[in-house]
Amino acid sequence: MIGSLNPQQQAAVTLPTGHALVLAGAGSGKTRVLTTRMAWLIQGGQVSPFGLLAVTFTNKSAREMLTRLSALLPINTRGMWVGTFHGLCNRLLRAHHRDAGLPQTFQILDTADQLSAIKRLLKAAGIDDDKFPPRDVQRFINGSKEQGLRPDDVDAYDAHRRGLIDLYRQYQVQCEREGVVDFPELLLRAYELLLRNAPIREHYQRRFQHILIDEFQDTNDLQYRWLKLLAGGGASLFAVGDDDQSIYAFRGANVGNMAAFEREFAQGNVIRLEQNYRSYGHILDSANALIAHNAARLGKNLWTEQGEGEPVRICEQGTDLLEAQWVGDEIRALVSGGHSRRDIAVLYRSNAQSRVIEHTLFSSGIPYRVYGGQRFFERQEVKHALAYLRLVANPNDDTSWLRVVNFPARGIGARTLEQLGDLAKEQGSSLYAAVSAMGGKSGAKLGTFVQLLSDLSEQSSVLPLPELIEHVIHHSGLRDHYMGEKEGADRLENLQELVNAATVFVGEEGLMGEPASARMGPSSDALEFPDAGVAPPSQSALDSFLSHASLEAGDNQAQAGEDAVQLMTVHAAKGLEFDCVFITGLEEGLFPHENSLTEQGGLEEERRLMYVAMTRARQRLYLTLAQSRMLHGQTRYAMRSRFLSEIPEEHLKWLTPREQQRTVPDPVSWGGAYRRGDAYARSPATLAPRTAARSLTTGVTVGEQHFRVGQGVAHARFGEGTIIGLSGTGTDAQAQIQFRDVGTKTLALGVAKLAIVQG
DNA sequence: AGGAACCTTATTTTT
DNA sequence: TAAGGTTCCT
């Protein structure tokens, strides 16, 4: 089992009991070490499969871990605690819902559900949403929870803050009443449950002797505390991560947890996995050199036994369109040179960049697949069907109620719902419970809806889940509604797919106990606690399925199948690898993104993002950029990304002239100026240079002055500086100027009085 | 209740 | 540019 591992991997796998930090570089066999460690612990009799807890961030990696574990050991992984933070907390809360103060059938709000719950709250409270935009409120609530803070714990330093705290408080009351729980609440509730309930805490502390965490650099403060608490009874924490690949600070991840973990737990017990099995030397050395520009690092240098391979290729084009066309040409050459399209990835910093690339690939007939986009369980029609199902499980779920009470239309209008809302508020009840107090015509209509729900509920106790869903789709009127819709065919297909998903789900449950992602059934845990009272009945298939739908939003990966080029953001590429990788848009303002420059530690995070992107490539890495690009309906001129100059020239091969263009080039001479690269000399058919974009201007003229990127300017107050970005035309034109003494400023060229400095 | 017209905004995303 | 939201009109 461990014979084929390198010495560092072996050392990590066979570490004696105690806390340890494994710094696992990109492509160093991290998942392998993690799963082999689990297998090794079990096989050596050091721990039973049930004494292990393994935590991941995505369902995908949890699944992979289980798959690889069962390939290593002939054990049944069923019932093992391997899953996402949210999945495991859900399981914990289901088993101890009473102690956690939750109804047994609590529903999970996804991000969109939560936002609509907040909007509803603001409306009901008559809050001015200019002052408190729902998104800000959501960010505040989730941010607080992720730091483990309840409304009373949050610092109320000004009036606006007090307003937010008050909304947070009201929101909690609303969730409580409706029996719903949002994502961060799953974690916080579970944390508080363990913190406050000593018997339960001690039980799990005793049970889990080994806790393993994947992607530790992505943990937030609450997750770290949760782990510490759970390990408080003497468990060994085995944390695997890579601080250089921390790219999720914007959603609360705290890289600092790695250093903290080393200090508080690992205490020198740190193993570095630095041998890379993925990329050739030039690629690795480029990535190493780039990331070395970051100051706050735990320190790590990847190396490979493979040769240096090919240099990193750089190509600069005049426009985003030319850049995309060049990428398309090069892909065609790579494919005719024998590469599969599925082994080629085009990466970009922001989703908006995919448009031009898609357009180009589409018109050149190159099959491609875009990662990301809408997930299955997030589709409108699927959410509608799920809302009916959720109301069956819990009619007090006002979010679901409002979603479908009048969909398909049944003549229940805004006035009626407003009235109903008032009644519910009066009696402090859910909308469902308030229906009986409604009289008149609208009361009757609502009564019919309630009757529908109770019919569905009745069916839910006799029909198997897939049939129940079928029944719901039919009797709710969703089917007829979409049949009558022009574009309804796809939606109907998705509804059928929902039935299929339920069939698969139920089948897996019967076959192997509970499915990996929703394992939370009648675990023996609850039985061991006298205060848990009567053993809770097994969760119904419907309840498990609803949790599954919330916790696993469905595929957002491009499907396997047709051999297609892979398009995705750099974030989405984390954890993946390809033979050939194009990183596009290497321009200041885009990558690194301009917004990052004002954030604390933002530039370093962008650099880590670039590092992640580069280390995706096995054989060949391309970095491309455009001198001008259409952004927000305006043409923008930008400088080369600083990241390009952070890679030593010895690893680079410029396919276009390296000399820094001080000005936006003349379009005619520039358009075809690139060399073909040398992708595959055997495919000369693709070598024809492209003609230039017809109307590429060379900068911005305002008044008599002509401004270009890279040009020196002087301002009466700010002094001398260099233009690093231009956008807009005429009186709208703006320049981003880096001043020698006062930093970077954005000035309106029509207003600012600038002198052009010669040279 | 549905559609057209208008306005605003625009980084990254998993659970 | 273009998507999403809101408002206003029929």
Side-chain angles (χ1 to χ4, degrees):
Chain A
M1 182 160 69
I2 61 170
S4 56
L5 300 177
N6 72 35
Q8 290 71 36
Q9 291 174 330
Q10 275 189 31
V13 165
T14 61
L15 273 170
T17 295
H19 307 301
L21 176 63
V22 178
L23 277 180
S28 65
K30 177 195 68 165
T31 309
R32 185 148 178 240
V33 163
L34 212 39
T35 48
T36 315
R37 167 80 174 170
M38 290 168 73
W40 184 81
L41 286 170
I42 295 169
Q43 199 177 44
Q46 297 191 49
V47 68
S48 95
F50 304 103
L52 275 179
L53 178 75
V55 199
T56 63
F57 276 88
T58 65
N59 293 298
K60 192 178 158 209
S61 40
R63 272 195 303 272
E64 183 175 353
M65 212 178 270
L66 283 174
T67 310
R68 287 169 77 157
L69 184 62
S70 34
L72 286 170
L73 277 186
I75 56 163
N76 189 348
T77 56
R78 167 188 170 183
M80 283 185 68
W81 283 62
V82 176
T84 62
F85 277 103
H86 293 86
L88 295 171
C89 287
N90 176 51
R91 188 171 172 181
L92 213 48
L93 293 174
R94 297 283 173 192
H96 306 286
H97 68 272
R98 203 169 297 190
D99 295 293
L102 289 171
Q104 198 197 354
T105 59
F106 69 84
Q107 302 296 313
I108 301 166
L109 298 183
D110 68 20
T111 311
D113 297 331
Q114 186 190 28
L115 188 62
S116 66
I118 290 170
K119 282 181 180 163
R120 181 153 45 83
L121 175 78
L122 292 174
K123 209 168 187 184
I127 303 280
D128 174 15
D129 46 0
D130 281 337
K131 210 171 169 196
F132 294 102
R135 283 187 181 284
D136 290 2
V137 177
Q138 184 178 38
R139 197 172 324 125
F140 173 79
I141 291 174
N142 290 351
S144 302
K145 289 184 179 185
E146 279 160 11
Q147 292 169 63
L149 303 175
R150 290 301 184 186
D152 288 341
D153 308 323
V154 182
D155 187 15
Y157 49 73
D158 64 19
H160 184 254
R161 186 88 167 172
R162 277 193 293 279
L164 285 171
I165 293 169
D166 200 46
L167 289 170
Y168 178 10
R169 198 172 283 119
Q170 292 180 49
Y171 169 76
Q172 287 303 113
V173 171
Q174 178 178 297
C175 288
E176 200 88 4
R177 188 177 62 236
E178 297 174 16
V180 296
V181 159
D182 58 45
F183 284 136
E185 184 74 17
L186 282 172
L187 293 174
L188 185 50
R189 275 286 169 126
Y191 173 75
E192 290 170 344
L193 172 72
L194 294 174
L195 189 69
R196 293 176 190 158
N197 190 314
I200 293 180
R201 177 178 65 245
E202 283 157 15
H203 167 77
Y204 287 102
Q205 285 179 336
R206 227 175 298 122
R207 172 175 172 169
F208 297 123
Q209 301 143 45
H210 287 273
I211 301 176
L212 302 92
I213 317 105
D214 192 16
E215 306 277 18
F216 191 72
Q217 76 282 354
D218 289 340
T219 51
N220 64 33
D221 292 340
L222 180 57
Q223 286 159 343
Y224 187 34
R225 280 162 66 180
W226 187 84
L227 289 167
K228 283 205 272 193
L229 184 59
L230 211 47
S236 297
L237 285 168
F238 187 85
V240 180
D242 182 358
D243 53 322
D244 291 332
Q245 292 191 69
S246 162
I247 56 173
Y248 285 115
F250 71 90
R251 65 176 199 215
N254 178 4
V255 214
N257 286 345
M258 291 199 80
F261 182 78
E262 184 182 358
R263 195 174 56 244
E264 297 176 52
F265 291 92
Q267 293 172 355
N269 213 4
V270 178
I271 291 187
R272 287 181 162 73
L273 303 181
E274 297 177 290
Q275 181 172 1
N276 173 288
Y277 296 93
R278 182 183 296 157
S279 316
Y280 281 97
H282 275 312
I283 295 172
L284 276 191
D285 291 344
S286 298
N288 282 334
L290 176 101
I291 201 67
H293 286 81
N294 273 5
R297 295 180 67 210
L298 295 177
K300 195 166 37 40
N301 215 40
L302 296 180
W303 60 277
T304 178
E305 277 180 355
Q306 307 189 66
E308 62 180 15
E310 305 174 22
V312 175
R313 291 163 168 79
I314 301 186
C315 178
E316 177 167 5
Q317 293 291 333
T319 69
D320 49 350
L321 183 61
L322 289 170
E323 178 195 33
Q325 288 171 340
W326 185 84
V327 168
D329 288 348
E330 195 70 10
I331 286 173
R332 213 175 304 134
L334 289 168
V335 170
S336 52
H339 284 280
S340 292
R341 282 184 289 265
R342 65 167 60 84
D343 290 325
I344 302 172
V346 183
L347 310 185
Y348 34 83
R349 175 63 180 83
S350 71
N351 285 305
Q353 288 169 255
S354 78
R355 264 184 43 97
V356 204
I357 299 167
E358 284 188 68
H359 176 82
T360 307
L361 294 183
F362 185 82
S363 31
S364 1
I366 300 173
Y368 66 88
R369 198 143 266 149
V370 187
Y371 275 54
Q374 217 184 22
R375 320 278 225 64
F376 179 72
F377 286 112
E378 288 166 357
R379 289 169 194 282
Q380 185 212 94
E381 61 277 17
V382 174
K383 290 214 87 165
H384 280 138
L386 288 172
Y388 281 100
L389 291 167
R390 285 163 76 142
L391 287 171
V392 167
N394 168 17
N396 298 322
D397 177 349
D398 286 359
T399 302
S400 299
W401 171 279
L402 287 171
R403 175 180 273 276
V404 292
V405 67
N406 196 36
F407 191 97
R410 26 179 94 81
I412 299 173
R415 294 174 312 284
T416 305
L417 290 173
E418 209 166 296
Q419 261 177 283
L420 184 67
D422 289 345
L423 279 172
K425 205 175 170 188
E426 250 169 60
Q427 54 192 61
S429 75
S430 66
L431 297 169
Y432 165 78
V435 169
S436 53
M438 284 277 288
K441 217 176 193 172
S442 31
K445 280 178 177 164
L446 285 167
T448 314
F449 181 65
V450 168
Q451 186 55 47
L452 167 65
L453 291 184
S454 95
D455 289 347
L456 297 179
S457 288
E458 219 164 279
Q459 295 302 318
S460 76
S461 51
V462 293
L463 289 179
L465 184 61
E467 280 83 348
L468 172 66
I469 297 179
E470 203 125 36
H471 183 91
V472 163
I473 292 169
H474 182 184
H475 289 89
S476 63
L478 282 177
R479 200 174 67 180
D480 286 347
H481 175 86
Y482 287 122
M483 283 206 294
E485 216 179 45
K486 281 190 299 272
E487 315 277 319
D490 280 354
R491 299 198 189 276
L492 284 169
E493 213 170 286
N494 285 326
L495 288 174
Q496 190 52 48
E497 197 47 50
L498 182 66
V499 176
N500 297 344
T503 309
V504 172
F505 182 84
V506 169
E508 277 176 359
E509 267 204 328
L511 193 71
M512 34 181 274
E514 308 129 303
S517 55
R519 213 180 278 118
M520 79 289 285
S523 77
S524 63
D525 297 304
L527 297 175
E528 294 169 32
F529 298 97
D531 52 336
V534 186
S538 165
Q539 258 210 297
S540 74
L542 174 60
D543 289 327
S544 323
F545 185 67
L546 290 174
S547 295
H548 169 77
S550 304
L551 290 173
E552 183 156 14
D555 235 348
N556 110 85
Q557 315 277 300
Q559 333 247 311
E562 199 195 3
D563 182 24
V565 173
Q566 315 280 310
L567 267 58
M568 68 194 83
T569 64
V570 176
H571 282 90
K574 184 164 164 237
L576 306 176
E577 58 180 87
F578 310 89
D579 285 347
C580 307
V581 170
F582 294 83
I583 307 175
T584 62
L586 280 163
E587 299 134 40
E588 280 296 307
L590 192 56
F591 202 3
H593 197 278
E594 55 191 345
N595 294 2
S596 75
L597 300 178
T598 54
E599 291 162 13
Q600 185 65 244
L603 179 62
E604 294 217 339
E605 175 133 328
E606 294 288 302
R607 196 175 279 115
R608 290 193 292 268
L609 202 46
M610 180 67 184
Y611 176 79
V612 167
M614 294 174 76
T615 52
R616 299 308 98 198
R618 287 192 281 247
Q619 301 169 8
R620 191 179 274 225
L621 176 60
Y622 294 92
L623 311 178
T624 70
L625 64 150
Q627 292 166 336
S628 74
R629 143 177 339 264
M630 204 56 155
L631 205 66
H632 308 330
Q634 288 190 322
T635 304
R636 282 191 19 159
Y637 302 90
M639 307 235 295
R640 286 180 184 167
S641 169
R642 68 191 73 189
F643 296 152
L644 293 175
S645 56
E646 294 175 356
I647 304 170
E649 286 295 333
E650 63 198 273
H651 303 305
L652 301 178
K653 175 170 190 168
W654 288 79
L655 306 179
T656 42
R658 164 182 34 199
E659 299 70 48
Q660 179 70 51
Q661 297 287 323
R662 298 280 301 167
T663 62
V664 175
D666 172 59
V668 178
S669 65
W670 186 258
Y674 68 88
R675 275 182 276 134
R676 172 64 248 161
D678 49 344
Y680 283 94
R682 336 186 220 137
S683 51
T686 62
L687 297 192
R690 293 204 174 258
T691 41
R694 294 141 309 275
S695 58
L696 177 60
T697 55
T698 63
V700 173
T701 303
V702 180
E704 296 286 274
Q705 288 174 305
H706 188 64
F707 298 97
R708 296 164 301 187
V709 169
Q711 189 166 45
V713 290
H715 184 270
R717 201 141 57 83
F718 302 137
E720 291 191 2
T722 307
I723 297 180
I724 59 170
L726 282 170
S727 67
T729 48
T731 46
D732 291 337
Q734 291 189 325
Q736 241 193 321
I737 300 169
Q738 193 164 51
F739 288 101
R740 198 183 50 205
D741 302 323
V742 295
T744 302
K745 305 221 179 275
T746 302
L747 303 181
L749 288 172
V751 180
K753 292 195 204 78
L754 288 170
I756 290 176
V757 175
Q758 296 303 321

